[in-house]
Amino acid sequence: MILSVGEILIDRIVKSDGEVSHVGGAPFNVAVNAYRHGNKTAFFGKVGEDKDGEFIKKEGAKYLPENLFLSTDKRRKTTVAMVTLTDGERNFKFLRDDAADYNLTADDVNFDFTGLNIVHLGTLMLNTKEGRDFAEYVVSECKRRKIRLSVDANFRDDLFESKEERNEVFLPFLKAADIVKFSD
């Protein structure tokens, strides 16, 4: 089984005639695509107790009817990514001030690592101490249990002070990975 861990959020696509919301987040998209290709797949993430979190729970279950493990945070909001298209290229502006998706802890884990072949770790959480601590927990569980670790090098420069800081934060996770997913 493949477990994908990390951000699940609202992709709010801004068009000239209004906005359209979809469930998004790179790790969630990986889980959905693996499932669509016949793999036994699960996803774990966290949403806020708000209308966007409820939308994600309802819509997310349509894409992953089994094994959608979501923790709900009563104190934080669900992350929203405002998506605009310029010359066919997507641009993201994240609305995630103290949001649920990167405030994951080991206590939130509501799944069992037993039977997992691969854990795919999203990296949007790495720009915060809380997110890095949780990612380190996932890496240590994978190593301890001899589960292959996949890391999504989802570089979002607007989430770090500099590229140097981003690279320094990402490097230990990339080195720990058995599989690395890069994108433009």
Side-chain angles (χ1 to χ4, degrees), residues 78-89:
T78 301
T79 294
V80 174
M82 301 301 289
V83 184
T84 55
L85 297 174
T86 307
D87 298 324
E89 192 62 37

Side-chain angles (χ1 to χ4, degrees), residues 7-152:
E7 69 271 8
I8 187 167
L9 47 80
I10 298 290
D11 278 334
R12 193 153 290 141
I13 301 170
V14 180
K15 299 180 175 186
S16 58
D17 59 344
E19 298 176 349
V20 179
S21 293
H22 299 279
V23 180
F28 178 72
N29 294 339
V30 166
V32 169
N33 283 298
Y35 176 78
R36 286 181 176 166
H37 285 88
N39 295 286
K40 189 164 180 176
T41 308
F43 175 82
F44 171 71
K46 193 174 194 180
V47 296
E49 191 175 276
D50 53 23
K51 67 178 179 146
D52 289 327
E54 290 304 314
F55 177 82
I56 285 173
K57 289 177 187 176
K58 181 181 172 191
E59 292 298 308
K62 293 178 183 177
Y63 295 101
L64 281 177
E66 299 174 16
N67 301 322
L68 178 61
F69 301 106
L70 295 178
S71 179
T72 303
D73 192 321
K74 295 179 182 189
R75 298 173 297 141
R76 294 181 172 91
K77 293 182 179 179
T78 301
T79 294
V80 174
M82 301 301 289
V83 184
T84 55
L85 297 174
T86 307
D87 298 324
E89 192 62 37
R90 300 169 303 155
N91 299 297
F92 297 89
K93 178 173 179 13
F94 293 98
L95 308 176
R96 67 190 295 252
D97 185 34
D98 197 29
D101 70 303
Y102 62 86
N103 278 289
L104 292 161
T105 68
D107 291 339
D108 292 316
V109 173
N110 55 3
F111 60 87
D112 187 356
F113 280 89
T114 305
L116 296 177
N117 302 100
I118 298 173
V119 172
H120 178 74
L121 180 64
T123 54
L124 210 58
M125 69 179 82
L126 296 182
N127 76 315
T128 68
K129 171 138 180 35
E130 298 83 1
R132 287 189 298 277
D133 288 347
F134 182 75
E136 288 170 359
Y137 162 75
V138 171
V139 169
S140 69
E141 284 298 305
C142 288
K143 297 304 177 191
R144 185 173 73 81
R145 298 170 182 263
K146 297 181 177 33
I147 300 169
R148 283 190 185 149
L149 176 67
S150 169
V151 173
D152 182 355

